[in-house]
């Protein structure tokens, strides 16, 4: 699957990121213009971003139009929104299932499980239709000689099916239809909710740091185009700094769990004194041990990032601390996308998509805090989403005051 997320394919998909980001701009402009006599409006920006990124992964992932920016009543989008809202009361079912995996298929009576089942059913229905359609399209185009990797197969599912059909001579490399089907929920969930949330956190930091927002807007407006290419987006140094800093500081996935498949010894950068008073230079782990990787802690630790490690400061990337070079991340001298063979294969996709969204949003709007920044909390989950602490009954949201940016004459 890695080749499907290579630079050449991301370049081909950039037009999708750009077109949907421009559509999001137009949707917001229309929303603002509908408020007569008001030059600024308080909006839940996370809701709009989630719809935009769902549309993007639909087109870039499967050549499928969810069209949720134009139709917010889309069934799958509404199911996702319910799924990611925190449930009320004590989440005993979730705690039991987290502790005892065998219960995950048995305890399906809570609201969160019902929402998850509904999302899974909808994704499976869509996935089966997409796979059958794409297989026929790819077979026909290959037989006509009109399709080869990097030409017309630009969505991820077509690329995966094309590669799969090429591998049919070697059964060990080919994926079954069920295995391909199981990739679709991963694409949908990982490809839309993480990027929308990361972009929302970025806009919060920009609203809280208006001087940073202005500098970024000035850089964006120096690019005289409505259709930036991947190269143009990647050529903006301050946009790169802002994205790096937001992904470091906010780390929408706060940590991950790994289970050791064999006995091993983990060497330590710095020794520690254990409970018996002995100095330890390594940690012995046994097969089956659970290990928690604290992504956000490593991304903000003052021992690595300096005294301002827990502050939002894009300028740090002009001269990043030398200690960051020891972080074994796949990108950006941080652990946001993890590292090694289990690193996020879609990180290039996410980065260009996020830059396209910020290009159109910051270039066309001004964002201000709608509530004190201290009132925005991090709701825990696989993806850490924002919520207003004084309005927890409203669930996941990120209200910001938005107004059109008007250039000086």
């Amino acid at each position: 699957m890695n080749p499907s997320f290579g630079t050449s394919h991301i370049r081909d998909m950039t037009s999708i990121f750009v077109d949907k980001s421009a559509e999001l701009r137009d949707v917001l402009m229309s929303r603002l213009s509908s408020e007569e006599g008001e030059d600024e409006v308080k909006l839940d920006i996370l809701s709009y971003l989630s719809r935009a990124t769902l549309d993007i992964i639909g087109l870039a992932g499967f050549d499928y139009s969810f069209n949720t920016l134009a139709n917010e009543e889309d069934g799958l989008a509404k199911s996702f929104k319910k799924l990611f809202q925190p449930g009320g009361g004590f989440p005993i079912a979730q705690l039991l299932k987290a502790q005892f995996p065998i219960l995950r298929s048995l305890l399906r009576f809570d609201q969160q499980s019902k929402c998850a089942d509904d999302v899974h059913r909808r994704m499976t229905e869509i996935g089966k239709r997409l796979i059958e359609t794409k297989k026929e399209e790819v077979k026909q185009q290959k037989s006509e000689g009109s399709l080869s990797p990097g030409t017309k197969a630009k969505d991820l599912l077509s690329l995966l099916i094309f590669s799969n059909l090429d591998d049919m001579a070697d059964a060990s490399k080919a994926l079954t239809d069920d295995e391909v089907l199981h990739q679709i929920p991963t694409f949908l969930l990982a490809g839309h909710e993480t990027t929308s949330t990361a972009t929302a956190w970025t806009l919060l930091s920009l609203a809280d740091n208006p001087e940073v927002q202005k500098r970024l807007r000035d850089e964006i407006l120096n690019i005289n185009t409505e259709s930036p290419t991947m190269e143009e987006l990647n050529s903006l140094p301050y946009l790169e700094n802002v994205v790096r800093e937001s992904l470091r500081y906010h780390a929408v996935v706060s940590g991950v769990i790994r289970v050791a498949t064999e006995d091993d010894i983990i060497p330590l950068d710095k020794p520690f004194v254990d409970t018996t008073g002995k100095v330890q230079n390594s940690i012995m782990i046994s097969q089956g041990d659970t290990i928690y990787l604290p992504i956000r802690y490593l991304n903000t630790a003052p021992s690595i990032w300096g005294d301002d490690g827990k502050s939002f400061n894009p300028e740090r990337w002009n001269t990043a601390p030398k200690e960051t070079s020891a972080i074994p991340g796949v990108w950006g001298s941080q652990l946001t996308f993890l590292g090694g063979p289990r690193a996020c294969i879609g990180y290039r996709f996410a980065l260009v998509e996020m830059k396209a969204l910020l290009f159109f949003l910051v270039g066309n709007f001004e964002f201000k805090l709608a509530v004190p920044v201290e009132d925005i909390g991090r709701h825990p989950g696989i993806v850490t989403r924002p919520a207003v602490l004084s309005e927890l009954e409203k669930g996941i949201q990120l209200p910001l005051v938005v107004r059109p940016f008007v250039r000086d004459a």
Side-chain angles (χ1 to χ4, degrees):
M1 289 177 60
N2 276 313
S4 299
F5 291 93
T7 301
S8 62
H9 291 137
I10 302 303
R11 180 182 293 108
D12 291 337
M13 294 173 189
T14 301
S15 61
I16 296 173
F17 306 157
V18 166
D19 290 346
K20 279 297 173 180
S21 297
E23 184 180 347
L24 174 59
R25 173 203 60 195
D26 296 342
V27 167
L28 291 175
M29 283 293 188
S30 177
R31 174 70 176 81
L32 294 175
S33 64
S34 68
E35 299 289 332
E36 294 185 9
E38 298 290 337
D39 59 355
E40 59 184 34
V41 178
K42 178 180 174 180
L43 299 175
D44 175 14
I45 199 66
L46 178 59
S47 174
Y48 286 93
L49 285 166
S50 184
R51 287 156 56 191
T53 56
L54 183 57
D55 281 0
I56 288 172
I57 193 60
L59 292 170
F62 320 108
D63 193 24
Y64 181 87
S65 178
F66 289 111
N67 204 30
T68 60
L69 275 174
N71 174 27
E72 61 182 304
E73 296 302 313
D74 174 80
L76 184 60
K78 292 175 71 175
S79 295
F80 272 131
K81 187 173 183 178
K82 289 180 181 178
L83 176 64
F84 296 129
Q85 288 295 348
F90 188 65
I92 184 66
Q94 282 81 9
L95 292 175
L96 286 172
K97 286 186 285 187
Q99 190 68 27
F100 305 104
I102 194 173
L103 297 178
R104 292 172 188 173
S105 61
L106 301 175
L107 299 181
R108 311 299 302 171
F109 52 80
D110 58 289
Q111 189 61 38
Q112 198 77 356
S113 294
K114 291 178 182 178
C115 288
D117 289 343
D118 182 53
V119 169
H120 183 267
R121 176 183 60 80
R122 291 176 184 273
M123 288 193 295
T124 299
E125 289 174 355
I126 293 171
K128 286 180 177 178
R129 293 199 304 268
L130 287 171
I131 289 172
E132 288 305 313
T133 301
K134 285 295 175 186
K135 282 179 69 175
E136 291 305 313
E137 288 179 0
V138 170
K139 285 179 180 178
Q140 181 177 351
Q141 289 176 311
K142 287 187 68 174
S143 67
E144 296 171 352
S146 61
L147 178 64
S148 60
T151 56
K152 293 188 178 181
K154 293 181 181 178
D155 63 277
L156 298 174
L157 184 59
S158 292
L159 289 165
L160 182 59
I161 289 175
F162 185 96
S163 176
N164 199 34
L165 291 174
D166 266 1
D167 290 338
M168 283 303 180
D170 185 348
S172 66
K173 294 182 179 180
L175 299 176
T176 66
D177 283 357
D178 278 346
E179 288 172 329
V180 174
L181 179 63
H182 291 156
Q183 305 306 315
I184 291 177
T186 302
F187 285 163
L188 278 173
L189 290 169
H192 113 269
E193 196 61 25
T194 50
T195 306
S196 62
T197 305
T199 308
W201 283 117
T202 305
L203 291 175
L204 174 67
S205 286
L206 292 176
D208 191 38
N209 295 272
E211 71 288 350
V212 174
Q213 183 179 165
K214 181 183 183 303
R215 180 174 174 183
L216 177 59
R217 182 179 298 108
D218 290 343
E219 180 181 75
I220 288 170
L221 294 177
N222 279 331
I223 302 295
N224 189 26
T225 179
E226 285 286 293
S227 301
T229 64
M230 182 184 75
E231 285 75 15
E232 286 174 320
L233 291 170
N234 287 336
S235 72
L236 298 173
Y238 201 62
L239 177 59
E240 175 74 15
N241 282 5
V242 168
V243 169
R244 280 178 180 257
E245 181 65 356
S246 181
L247 291 173
R248 178 201 71 86
Y249 176 63
H250 292 292
V252 296
V253 178
S254 295
V256 295
I257 292 174
R258 296 288 185 259
V259 177
T261 58
E262 60 185 38
D263 297 348
D264 205 347
I265 297 176
I266 300 177
L268 300 176
D269 181 48
K270 296 179 180 179
F272 72 97
V273 179
D274 66 17
T275 56
T276 66
K278 294 182 179 179
V279 176
Q280 301 289 347
N281 293 292
S282 60
I283 298 176
M284 296 185 64
I285 59 172
S286 302
Q287 181 181 7
D289 281 353
T290 298
I291 301 167
Y292 179 73
L293 303 178
I295 295 174
R296 189 163 188 252
Y297 171 79
L298 288 171
N299 276 5
T300 58
S303 60
I304 298 173
W305 300 94
D307 293 338
D308 70 340
K310 296 185 179 181
S311 300
F312 180 82
N313 176 22
E315 306 295 329
R316 80 173 71 250
W317 293 102
N318 294 331
T319 53
K322 67 179 188 309
E323 288 82 2
T324 64
S325 62
I327 298 177
V330 70
W331 172 85
S333 298
Q334 54 188 274
L335 211 56
T336 300
F337 294 108
L338 297 173
R342 296 290 181 180
C344 173
I345 63 173
Y347 75 93
R348 295 184 186 89
F349 183 109
L351 291 170
V352 179
E353 178 185 12
M354 193 171 170
K355 288 179 179 181
L357 288 165
L358 291 171
F359 182 92
F360 280 90
L361 291 176
V362 178
N364 289 278
F365 303 97
E366 295 180 61
F367 298 91
K368 297 191 296 184
L369 296 173
V371 299
V373 71
E374 297 80 13
D375 199 22
I376 301 295
R378 293 172 60 87
H379 185 272
I382 296 176
V383 176
T384 304
R385 299 173 182 84
V388 179
L389 298 177
S390 61
E391 299 178 348
L392 289 178
E393 71 280 0
K394 294 185 178 180
I396 301 302
Q397 60 166 328
L398 181 59
L400 293 176
V401 175
V402 184
R403 65 181 297 163
F405 173 73
V406 180
R407 295 197 195 199
D408 294 333

